[in-house]
């Protein structure tokens, strides 16, 4: 929000606006392993200690720490909103619900995922009374036998995928918080996962040099993208294991994938092709993420750098836009039950590759 908009709403908002352009350091007190941003609902008149100015949403940042704590901050002021306790080891990854609800999922080296409700006014039973307790733990999800270090919530907020040092990824229901299925098909540890913008596809990346594209509703493997190393990019004396994939993510329109591997390459894949459409040389890559509005990819490295890359921009076809709109609220089973031609069903369920 512009500073002038906040100044017009009174003293507290004006105070918060004064440092709008300054850098801030959030003192977490521990090594920070995971980060997640989310919009925070606007405060209402009568709130005794609103996190944001009345009537204005703000931005919050969740930090996963080395000691198992999660600290949630208001970015604008640097104010600590919550300290969430429960994990017994490093919090490796965090994911907010994409629909704007105050739900946060955390993945930890204690082999569990935890679901948190960050609503300001959550009623918890205490004897014959109810207490206000913001930041309550809703559920503990157990099922992994190794450290959990990746979690992703589907854009429709119906599913959660998690990856640990195992050959299978786990798919959970975000409605009942129960395990839906194990996704088995990789030959080595699954290290990264991401849903398509319409929730119709799920991709998992593994140390076995493969990205598998799944239908999360049926558990069917739709496609495998194999990372073939380009030997010219490697030093012959290097001991890097080129089979190690580190990260995968969808583009905002759902037509591209980006992957980072230990062969010192960032690859961009078109959804309907089996080979990359673009490469970029990079060293020590660990993670990648598309800019929410497309056109750029950010990559993080072991040596502490974030690099930004220009990504292909594409105008989505009308067919893809219609498919994306329909799949946002129709499951695979619902599409298959429609009285429409078979080829149209195959297109809507991404089976026409």
């Amino acid at each position: 929000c512009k500073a002038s908009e906040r100044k017009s709403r009174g003293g507290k908002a004006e105070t918060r606006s004064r440092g709008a352009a300054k850098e801030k350091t959030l003192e977490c007190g521990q090594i920070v392993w995971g980060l997640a941003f989310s919009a925070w609902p606007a405060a209402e008149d009568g709130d005794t200690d609103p996190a944001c100015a009345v009537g204005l949403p703000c931005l919050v940042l969740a930090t996963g720490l080395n000691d198992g704590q999660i600290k949630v901050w208001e970015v604008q002021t640097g104010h600590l909103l919550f300290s969430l306790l429960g994990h017994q080891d490093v919090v490796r990854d965090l994911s907010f619900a994409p629909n704007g609800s105050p739900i946060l999922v955390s993945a930890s080296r204690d082999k569990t995922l935890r679901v948190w409700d960050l609503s300001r006014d959550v009623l918890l039973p205490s004897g014959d009374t109810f207490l206000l307790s913001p930041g309550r733990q809703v559920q503990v999800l157990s099922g992994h036998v190794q450290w959990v270090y990746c979690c992703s919530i589907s854009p429709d907020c119906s599913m959660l995928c998690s990856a640990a040092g195992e050959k299978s990824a786990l798919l959970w229901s975000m409605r009942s918080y129960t395990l839906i299925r194990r996704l088995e098909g990789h030959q080595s540890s699954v290290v990264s996962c991401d849903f398509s913008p319409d929730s119709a596809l799920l991709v998992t990346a593994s140390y076995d040099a493969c990205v598998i594209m799944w239908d999360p509703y049926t558990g069917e493997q739709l496609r495998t993208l194999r990372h073939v190393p380009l030997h010219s990019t490697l030093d012959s004396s290097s001991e890097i294991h080129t089979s190690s994939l580190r990260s995968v993510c969808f583009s905002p329109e759902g037509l591209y994938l980006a992957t980072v591997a230990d062969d010192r390459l960032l690859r961009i894949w078109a959804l309907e092709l089996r080979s990359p459409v673009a490469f970029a040389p990079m060293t020590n890559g660990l993670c990648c993420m598309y800019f929410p509005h497309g056109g750029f990819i950010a990559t993080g490295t072991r040596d502490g750098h974030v690099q930004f890359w220009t990504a292909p921009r594409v105008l989505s076809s009308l067919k893809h836009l219609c498919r994306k709109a329909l799949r946002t609220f129709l499951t695979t089973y619902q599409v298959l039950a429609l009285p429409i031609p078979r080829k149209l069903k195959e297109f809507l369920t991404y089976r026409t590759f």
Side-chain angles (χ1 to χ4, degrees):
C1 301
K2 295 179 181 178
S4 59
E5 294 175 335
R6 293 202 169 212
K7 287 179 181 179
S8 66
R9 293 183 178 270
K12 181 174 287 189
E14 182 177 349
T15 302
R16 292 167 187 262
S17 72
R18 290 172 183 166
K22 296 180 180 178
E23 293 183 358
K24 290 182 176 62
T25 300
L26 305 179
E27 296 293 346
C28 297
Q30 292 281 328
I31 297 173
V32 180
W33 285 85
L35 298 168
F37 283 104
S38 180
W40 193 252
E44 298 178 358
D45 290 322
D47 283 354
T48 57
D49 185 22
C52 311
V54 173
L56 291 175
C58 61
L59 189 66
V60 297
L61 173 67
T63 55
L65 307 182
N66 196 67
D67 63 355
Q69 282 193 76
I70 301 165
K71 292 188 177 182
V72 183
W73 311 79
E74 185 197 349
V75 175
Q76 178 73 14
T77 63
H79 175 61
L80 178 63
L81 301 177
F82 306 114
S83 289
L84 307 177
L85 305 177
H87 281 297
Q88 304 302 309
D89 208 334
V90 172
V91 176
R92 187 62 185 83
D93 196 18
L94 296 160
S95 182
F96 276 102
N99 64 357
S101 65
I103 297 297
L104 174 68
V105 175
S106 55
S108 171
R109 285 185 181 177
D110 66 11
K111 306 176 185 178
T112 70
L113 298 113
R114 293 173 190 254
V115 183
W116 309 85
D117 186 341
L118 305 187
S119 301
R120 288 194 186 88
D121 298 324
V122 178
L123 290 176
L124 293 182
S126 176
D128 296 328
T129 62
F130 286 86
L131 301 177
L132 289 178
S133 179
R136 73 182 177 105
Q137 182 175 282
V138 176
Q139 192 75 30
V140 178
L141 305 180
S142 301
H144 287 289
V145 296
Q146 300 290 339
W147 293 349
V148 189
Y149 44 75
C150 182
C151 60
S152 178
I153 302 175
S154 63
D156 66 2
C157 295
S158 68
M159 294 171 286
L160 167 72
C161 185
S162 59
E166 304 159 9
K167 295 180 181 179
S168 60
L170 300 188
L171 192 65
W172 309 83
S173 168
M174 282 296 288
R175 297 187 175 100
S176 62
Y177 301 119
T178 56
L179 181 65
I180 298 173
R181 64 173 53 88
R182 290 181 178 270
L183 300 173
E184 298 180 338
H186 285 291
Q187 303 304 309
S188 188
S189 299
V190 181
V191 295
S192 182
C193 57
D194 194 26
F195 284 93
S196 62
D198 58 6
S199 304
L201 297 173
L202 170 67
V203 287
T204 54
S206 167
Y207 288 160
D208 63 9
C210 292
V211 169
I212 296 180
M213 193 178 300
W214 310 82
D215 184 322
Y217 296 102
T218 66
E220 179 182 353
Q221 295 184 34
L222 302 180
R223 167 166 290 193
T224 299
L225 305 178
R226 303 185 185 279
H227 287 62
V228 178
L230 300 182
H231 297 289
S232 61
T233 66
L234 297 176
D235 182 349
S236 59
S237 63
S238 173
E239 296 181 355
I240 291 178
H241 299 288
T242 60
S243 62
S244 295
L245 264 170
R246 295 293 174 178
S247 184
V248 62
C249 65
F250 266 100
S251 63
E253 80 289 329
L255 289 173
Y256 289 95
L257 292 172
T259 58
V260 169
D262 277 351
D263 61 359
R264 302 177 185 173
L265 287 175
L266 165 68
R267 290 172 171 84
I268 300 176
W269 308 72
L271 193 65
E272 298 185 356
L273 300 177
R274 293 185 181 274
S275 57
V277 296
F279 298 88
M282 61 176 300
T283 305
N284 293 329
L286 278 180
C287 55
C288 59
M289 181 62 65
Y290 266 91
F291 177 60
H293 302 293
F296 300 96
I297 298 173
T299 56
T301 67
R302 291 183 185 86
D303 52 12
H305 294 134
V306 175
Q307 298 171 312
F308 295 89
W309 310 86
T310 302
R313 285 186 177 272
V314 62
L315 184 63
S316 299
S317 67
L318 182 59
K319 288 197 306 181
H320 177 67
L321 290 174
C322 291
R323 174 173 60 184
K324 183 178 174 183
L326 287 169
R327 291 310 309 271
T328 298
F329 65 89
L330 289 179
T331 69
T332 299
Y333 297 113
Q334 290 172 324
V335 170
L336 295 176
L338 293 174
I340 56 177
R342 178 178 58 85
K343 287 187 177 181
L344 188 52
K345 291 181 181 181
E346 291 175 350
F347 174 76
L348 291 176
T349 57
Y350 292 90
R351 283 158 174 80
T352 55
F353 297 145

